[in-house]
Amino acid sequence: MSIPAFSDIAKSSNDLLTKDFYHTAASNLEIKSKAPNGVSFNVKGKSTHDSQTAGSIEAKYKDDPSGTFFNHLLFLISSPLDRSSNISYRALIRPGQASLLMFYRRAGLTLTQAWTTANVLDTKIEVENQLAKGLKAELLTQYLPKSNTYGAKTNLYFKQPNFHGRAFFDLFKGPTATIDAVLGHEGFLVGAEAGYDVQKAAITRYSAAVGYTVPQYSAAITATNNLSVFAASYYHKVNSDVEAGAKAIWDSKAGDKVGLEVASKWRLDPTSFAKAR
């Protein structure tokens, strides 16, 4: 079983308690298509029932790693060819001249661009498993034509068999950074999250969580809002048709009252189900 991200340690119970309930969850519509040249299109719509519907149209192109090409240049220094790098070179020294062979391996970039109903232009560039195995890097930019303002973020995801780490950097606001990590072993999970403001040189928030996950059930305890809000959650897949879950929340700054939520899901047939909370 793969190690989840920090925000997904209690995902099974959270999904059971929040998803599919019309008045508490937003309604989403998504239409996907793919052109013959490999460009994917995605139209999204979202309604929260108490505001206007938001939507976006998105185009995505992935440049799969393949092939090499080179240019012949004159150079005076020799160096061995490093085939482990995307960009490498070899210099051939001959009497009276030196030749440099430049090699570039396509890095496998994925480009996604979207235009939303709020008149926002979003661009995302992704590189996965090219800089290092298990590492995914993203650059996200945002442009608002009406106000002529820009935004830029960088995200890093690193996954290994017993580790899942993420780092989110907002380059124009602060800059700020949010970093989280989860370690796992034989179903046991322990994770932490911290936010940092570079301009203030201060930690702005921190959280922690522990959990245990197996295919039939999962349990988690989280401490968020600078370890002031505690939540204990439990999820049980009774059988292929029945699921049950519960979550208790205590805010140490709000008093001694504990909130409790319980939900269940019953699959009626392969295409329909009933949920209660």
Side-chain angles (χ1 to χ4, degrees), residues 245-263:
K247 184 177 184 180
I249 303 176
W250 174 53
D251 188 340
S252 61
K253 295 182 178 180
D256 296 330
K257 293 184 178 180
V258 176
L260 179 64
E261 295 178 279
V262 178

Side-chain angles (χ1 to χ4, degrees), residues 3-266:
I3 305 301
F6 178 80
S7 58
D8 292 336
I9 289 180
K11 185 177 188 302
S12 297
S13 60
N14 288 338
D15 286 352
L16 185 64
L17 290 163
T18 59
K19 282 189 173 182
D20 305 313
F21 294 100
Y22 176 81
H23 293 288
T24 59
S27 297
N28 295 279
L29 174 66
E30 190 170 356
I31 302 174
K32 295 182 179 181
S33 63
K34 191 171 185 178
N37 61 356
V39 178
S40 300
F41 295 92
N42 193 0
V43 179
K44 299 178 182 179
K46 183 177 181 180
S47 173
T48 57
H49 314 303
D50 57 0
S51 62
Q52 64 181 357
T53 299
S56 66
I57 181 170
E58 177 182 287
K60 183 176 184 178
Y61 175 72
K62 184 175 183 180
D63 182 23
D64 294 323
S66 62
T68 62
F69 64 86
F70 62 90
N71 294 317
H72 186 276
L73 301 174
L74 293 179
F75 203 65
L76 300 176
I77 301 175
S78 64
S79 176
L81 179 66
D82 180 10
R83 295 188 181 275
S84 63
S85 173
N86 284 330
I87 301 177
S88 53
Y89 61 89
R90 172 179 287 174
L92 303 177
I93 307 297
R94 295 178 181 178
Q97 70 174 19
S99 298
L100 177 67
L101 299 179
M102 298 289 294
F103 292 86
Y104 169 67
R105 294 172 176 81
R106 287 165 58 180
L109 295 176
T110 299
L111 173 65
T112 304
Q113 290 187 304
W115 187 18
T116 73
T117 53
N119 197 21
V120 178
L121 300 175
D122 293 321
T123 300
K124 179 167 68 173
I125 299 175
E126 305 169 66
V127 179
E128 187 170 6
N129 291 324
Q130 299 301 315
L131 304 176
K133 186 177 180 180
L135 177 63
K136 178 181 178 181
E138 295 179 344
L139 174 63
L140 298 91
T141 64
Q142 188 176 77
Y143 173 58
L144 286 73
K146 184 177 181 180
S147 58
N148 197 29
T149 56
Y150 299 84
K153 297 180 181 181
T154 300
N155 301 333
L156 299 175
Y157 306 84
F158 187 58
K159 296 181 68 175
Q160 294 296 309
N162 296 312
F163 177 82
H164 192 159
R166 305 182 302 175
F168 308 97
F169 304 93
D170 194 321
L171 305 180
F172 287 178
K173 295 181 180 179
T176 60
T178 301
I179 299 173
D180 62 48
V182 178
L183 293 172
H185 180 67
E186 296 183 351
F188 290 96
L189 304 170
V190 58
E193 177 191 55
Y196 185 77
D197 190 310
V198 176
Q199 193 173 35
K200 297 178 181 178
I203 296 176
T204 55
R205 61 188 179 93
Y206 47 89
S207 305
V210 294
Y212 180 73
T213 300
V214 292
Q216 295 77 21
Y217 65 91
S218 63
I221 298 175
T222 60
T224 58
N225 289 16
N226 299 342
L227 307 184
S228 64
V229 178
F230 299 87
S233 59
Y234 175 74
Y235 168 82
H236 184 197
K237 187 171 185 179
V238 181
N239 52 48
S240 59
D241 296 327
V242 180
E243 301 173 41
K247 184 177 184 180
I249 303 176
W250 174 53
D251 188 340
S252 61
K253 295 182 178 180
D256 296 330
K257 293 184 178 180
V258 176
L260 179 64
E261 295 178 279
V262 178
S264 62
K265 178 178 179 179
W266 179 30

